[in-house]
Amino acid sequence: MASTTTTTTNNNNETPDAPLAPEQLLFSSTDSETLSKNILMVGAGGIGCELIKTLALTGFRNISIIDLDTIDISNLNRQFLFRKKHVGMSKSQVAKESVEKFAGSKQTGINIEAYTGNIKEERFGLDFFKKFDIVLNGLDNLEARRHVNRLCLSANVPLVESGTTGYKGQVTVHLRGKYCSCFECAPKPVPKSFPICTLRDTPSTFVHTIVFATDLLFPRLFGANKEDPSDLDEEEARDAFTRKENEAGTAFAKRVFAYVFEKKIKDLLEREDMWANRDKKPEALDSETLLKTKEERTATTGYGDAHKKWTMEEASEIFVRSAGKLFEKGDRISEFDKDDDDAVAFVTATAQLRCANYGIEYMSRFDAKGVAGNIVHAVATTNAIISGLIVIEALKILNAQKHLDEKEEGEGKNDRLIKLANSRYTFVGNFNAGRQLLQPLAPDEQNPKCVVCANARAELCCDISKTTLADVISKVLKKKLNTNEPTVLKGDDMLHEEGEDLDDDEVENYAIIGKRTLQDLGLESGGILCVDDNSQELKFDLVVVHQNLEEFDEDAFPEGFELRGETPKVAEGAEKEKDEDGAATDGEASDEIEIVEEGVEITKAVESPRLGKTKAIASSPSPASKKRKTK
Ligand SMILES: [Zn+2]
């Protein structure tokens, strides 16, 4: 807390933009006016559980919380408002009930509204957002974050945004104005994350199979807490994963092999509902044949060329042999270590065998090691620190609001609020030169080219004789610019609308128009399409500039178009992941295990938009002391 306020030594409020003193911003929090403000929390997952608890204990009395998810057993290790008996129940509802138990709904008059649903639903539109004094995000996916950002801008409600990756995290404040960026002013690549059930039952990528090996199977067999029940332990699995007395390590490994790659898959196949809407079903391996092969082979040592893929027989033999070696190491192993060759061999073999089960292309030991080395786990302590920081920023904004002139209007008012509140973008766990846990920085300024908050135009460079309107809608407006239900106009001509209230004729008519090219629709180079998305209260002009398709560099623009300017973009990998397993939803549904894309440093993934600033400040003893000197 001290770090966020050390820069505020100025107690003179006669200067219009001087920040208020810390005691005015924070310690007046017992003020009943501030504590009765309406707060909207989006997400009741890792951050959300900590946040609603901290809000209640701070004394806030009017809290609404939204999450679409139900509680999974894998949430229990860090979402402390949930217990085993709550598995399968609504996260937001249980969070409300758990907090009411210790915050006492009657005595303190705390009023928590719990909503189970997707933040993008119509009932959570602009009118809903306008009811709140501040919005606090505890989300895990970019799509929902961008949606909330847009509604907050339209409703002119301050947004405190947050995120964590392992030991790192950040809290930022957003409000339309010059002195403060919106969430989408700078592009944000995100780490990918996966729900346990996908990893366990329905993997669809090589990464899924690696994470299954490192985070589920490895700890279950070799980890420090291997005696404890894990996410793999359904009733019949208990025996399969328990080593019998005096059983040889390799014999146990063979039993695990037969269970994981054959028996368990056969069991899953019996669950018809699970495969009804999936392209393909898994196939069980023939463990008897694969394991018998080994006896006929000459004894091998080592794991071969790291870049060469193994055959199925090799992978089976290595699974058993590496497991045997890991069992011999016993208590010297506590978790997966990417520098332990036996561990990497075991994980690679497991991943390859799982790939064979699910018809996924597998990779070499070298590649598997690269993927496995980038896995980041959710850390409860980081979530707790971040939640505390969110509440501090919220208190600062709400207390500063009381010092604003009520009659003052427009964007100047927002800028003054950010200054009075001394709002900070705080980064946690970067350990800069000053070895500080927290690194509070002045907010980024608004990006004048931001389509979302600065009324900037988006510019699409494409071949207008080949690009259809439907291409623009699906590939540009929805995929790149994150719109939900865009309406497209050219001058006064309505080219596209969507939504439930259209009749069949209209839908058919727009489908026909969609198939026409932009040129065919009368658009010339430099022409403008007006885009309007009611569900996000977002409106902007899309300027279309012509370039022949052959002139696009295929490597740089494989889709054959370029969206210019500093428009926010979704990280390609993250988006693909989401499409494949449909996992990215609201409220930290899928933050169990995160993985940063290969070759991308975690620091970059968390805070790439800020890198320049962070570096500059890290070279001085500490951000706080530097700030003081320059004041
Ligand atoms: Zn912006």
Side-chain angles (χ1 to χ4, degrees):
M1 201 156 92
S3 305
T4 60
T5 53
T6 42
T7 58
T8 317
T9 48
N10 190 344
N11 199 9
N12 177 6
N13 293 323
E14 283 165 27
T15 323
D17 282 344
L20 296 169
E23 56 271 29
Q24 283 174 290
L25 290 172
L26 293 177
F27 303 125
S28 59
S29 65
T30 47
D31 183 332
S32 76
E33 188 190 329
T34 302
L35 295 175
S36 61
K37 295 284 185 185
N38 278 321
I39 297 187
L40 174 62
M41 281 183 56
V42 192
I47 293 174
C49 276
E50 287 294 326
L51 181 57
I52 192 171
K53 175 257 308 174
T54 308
L55 283 171
L57 294 178
T58 305
F60 282 100
R61 295 192 294 273
N62 294 307
I63 305 166
S64 293
I65 181 163
I66 303 180
D67 199 305
L68 60 66
D69 231 344
T70 53
I71 296 159
D72 187 87
I73 191 155
S74 57
N75 301 142
L76 304 184
N77 66 355
R78 69 192 182 290
Q79 298 177 17
F80 303 126
L81 299 178
F82 308 146
R83 294 287 177 268
K84 208 166 178 186
K85 64 180 178 196
H86 297 133
V87 169
M89 295 163 76
S90 154
K91 282 190 171 182
S92 54
Q93 191 60 38
V94 174
K96 165 194 158 84
E97 286 161 15
S98 300
V99 168
E100 278 175 351
K101 262 184 204 153
F102 63 77
S105 62
K106 287 197 184 89
Q107 294 86 334
T108 58
I110 193 166
N111 170 33
I112 302 176
E113 287 288 336
Y115 299 89
T116 304
N118 189 327
I119 190 66
K120 292 172 100 170
E121 286 170 32
E122 229 177 292
R123 61 180 164 140
F124 305 126
L126 186 61
D127 288 340
F128 179 80
F129 271 73
K130 278 183 173 165
K131 289 190 290 193
F132 297 98
D133 297 295
I134 196 160
V135 175
L136 313 178
N137 265 358
L139 285 163
D140 71 334
N141 76 92
L142 198 53
E143 202 185 306
R145 283 180 163 124
R146 294 174 76 176
H147 184 81
V148 172
N149 178 50
R150 292 169 188 197
L151 281 165
C152 284
L153 287 168
S154 295
N156 199 31
V157 178
L159 167 67
V160 184
E161 167 63 52
S162 69
T164 61
T165 301
Y167 291 103
K168 298 183 181 200
Q170 81 280 331
V171 172
T172 52
V173 178
H174 305 284
L175 185 62
R176 192 194 293 271
K178 286 193 179 60
Y179 293 151
C180 187
S181 68
C182 84
F183 177 70
E184 299 180 74
C185 275
K188 290 178 179 58
V190 285
K192 303 178 206 172
S193 56
F194 314 107
I196 297 284
C197 54
T198 300
L199 300 173
R200 192 181 54 205
D201 302 334
T202 55
S204 59
T205 66
F206 182 66
V207 174
H208 290 158
T209 66
I210 287 283
V211 181
F212 171 86
T214 54
D215 285 69
L216 296 177
L217 191 57
F218 191 95
R220 184 66 187 84
L221 296 178
F222 315 111
N225 300 318
K226 55 181 172 285
E227 313 301 336
D228 299 345
S230 83
D231 296 315
L232 290 180
D233 283 48
E234 290 120 315
E235 289 307 315
E236 71 276 24
R238 201 64 55 83
D239 279 348
F241 291 126
T242 307
R243 190 172 174 179
K244 293 174 189 160
E245 222 170 300
N246 300 324
E247 186 177 27
T250 49
F252 177 32
K254 284 182 187 177
R255 278 203 300 120
V256 172
F257 186 108
Y259 176 76
V260 172
F261 305 113
E262 183 168 1
K263 169 79 167 60
K264 168 74 183 172
I265 301 291
K266 285 178 178 167
D267 291 349
L268 281 175
L269 282 167
E270 281 173 21
R271 290 169 56 184
E272 299 280 343
D273 56 316
M274 188 175 256
W275 312 107
N277 295 316
R278 291 181 188 271
D279 294 343
K280 56 185 174 188
K281 295 179 180 180
E283 267 179 52
L285 301 184
D286 180 351
S287 53
E288 209 181 5
T289 310
L290 283 169
L291 293 175
K292 194 187 282 172
T293 321
K294 196 253 154 188
E295 321 287 56
E296 291 151 15
R297 288 157 56 98
T298 47
T300 31
T301 52
Y303 301 115
D305 180 351
H307 292 275
K308 200 170 150 277
K309 289 183 185 179
W310 295 322
T311 63
M312 284 300 287
E313 285 75 18
E314 282 169 336
S316 306
E317 186 268 328
I318 287 169
F319 177 90
V320 173
R321 180 154 53 91
S322 60
K325 290 196 172 175
L326 290 164
F327 285 127
E328 280 169 27
K329 292 180 189 174
D331 290 346
R332 280 176 290 148
I333 301 176
S334 60
E335 58 185 9
F336 169 74
D337 175 1
K338 68 178 180 353
D339 297 320
D340 178 337
D341 282 347
D342 298 322
V344 172
F346 175 81
V347 162
T348 309
T350 303
Q352 177 172 339
L353 296 162
R354 292 277 286 174
C355 283
N357 281 140
Y358 288 91
I360 300 165
E361 176 96 15
Y362 65 92
M363 294 187 193
S364 69
R365 187 156 54 95
F366 178 83
D367 291 328
K369 183 176 172 176
V371 174
N374 277 324
I375 292 166
V376 182
H377 300 267
V379 176
T381 315
T382 314
N383 288 339
I385 295 169
I386 289 295
S387 302
L389 290 167
I390 295 172
V391 175
I392 288 171
E393 290 303 329
L395 275 173
K396 284 158 67 180
I397 290 266
L398 293 172
N399 281 322
Q401 245 160 5
K402 292 184 293 192
H403 295 264
L404 279 183
D405 184 350
E406 296 228 334
K407 279 168 273 170
E408 204 175 328
E409 286 291 333
E411 297 196 356
K413 184 175 184 176
N414 287 349
D415 285 337
R416 229 161 83 67
L417 179 60
I418 292 292
K419 292 255 165 175
L420 280 176
N422 199 26
S423 295
R424 285 289 173 267
Y425 286 9
T426 306
F427 295 90
V428 175
N430 282 315
F431 291 115
N432 56 319
R435 296 293 297 166
Q436 286 179 302
L437 175 69
L438 305 182
Q439 194 175 23
L441 303 170
D444 279 343
E445 290 183 2
Q446 183 184 44
N447 173 2
K449 289 180 181 166
C450 180
V451 172
V452 178
C453 76
N455 298 322
R457 291 171 161 189
E459 190 176 301
L460 173 68
C461 184
C462 66
D463 189 330
I464 57 171
S465 69
K466 298 206 168 64
T467 308
T468 64
L469 181 65
D471 289 336
V472 173
I473 291 164
S474 66
K475 294 177 187 166
V476 180
L477 298 183
K478 291 192 175 172
K479 194 172 169 191
K480 299 273 184 196
L481 292 165
N482 206 54
T483 57
N484 274 342
E485 293 180 349
T487 295
V488 183
L489 286 111
K490 179 180 153 289
D492 292 332
D493 297 338
M494 178 68 77
L495 298 182
H496 178 79
E497 277 182 293
E498 52 190 271
E500 282 170 10
D501 38 351
L502 293 183
D503 59 39
D504 292 350
D505 287 353
E506 287 174 304
V507 173
E508 201 176 316
N509 187 34
Y510 288 131
I512 294 168
I513 298 175
K515 287 182 188 141
R516 295 170 65 183
T517 65
L518 298 180
Q519 190 173 46
D520 200 19
L521 289 166
L523 209 73
E524 293 170 2
S525 188
I528 292 173
L529 294 173
C530 301
V531 182
D532 194 344
D533 189 337
N534 265 328
S535 76
Q536 301 181 329
E537 297 291 324
L538 179 72
K539 202 172 177 176
F540 61 92
D541 288 348
L542 183 70
V543 183
V544 179
V545 178
H546 175 75
Q547 181 176 316
N548 288 326
L549 189 59
E550 306 80 60
E551 291 165 25
F552 281 96
D553 177 349
E554 259 185 61
D555 292 331
F557 307 105
E559 291 159 303
F561 67 82
E562 180 186 3
L563 192 60
R564 286 179 183 162
E566 296 180 37
T567 47
K569 56 187 172 193
V570 179
E572 295 292 331
E575 194 173 65
K576 188 160 164 281
E577 204 53 56
K578 182 202 72 200
D579 289 343
E580 276 171 7
D581 57 24
T585 47
D586 292 347
E588 304 221 342
S590 50
D591 67 344
E592 281 85 8
I593 292 165
E594 291 185 328
I595 183 158
V596 177
E597 252 179 290
E598 204 177 343
V600 179
E601 280 176 42
I602 299 158
T603 32
K604 282 185 188 165
V606 176
E607 45 147 352
S608 67
R610 306 273 316 180
L611 224 55
K613 207 166 198 170
T614 309
K615 267 185 192 157
I617 285 180
S619 60
S620 74
S622 77
S625 63
K626 180 179 172 172
K627 283 268 154 76
R628 257 198 302 275
K629 271 178 221 157
T630 52
K631 270 253 152 87

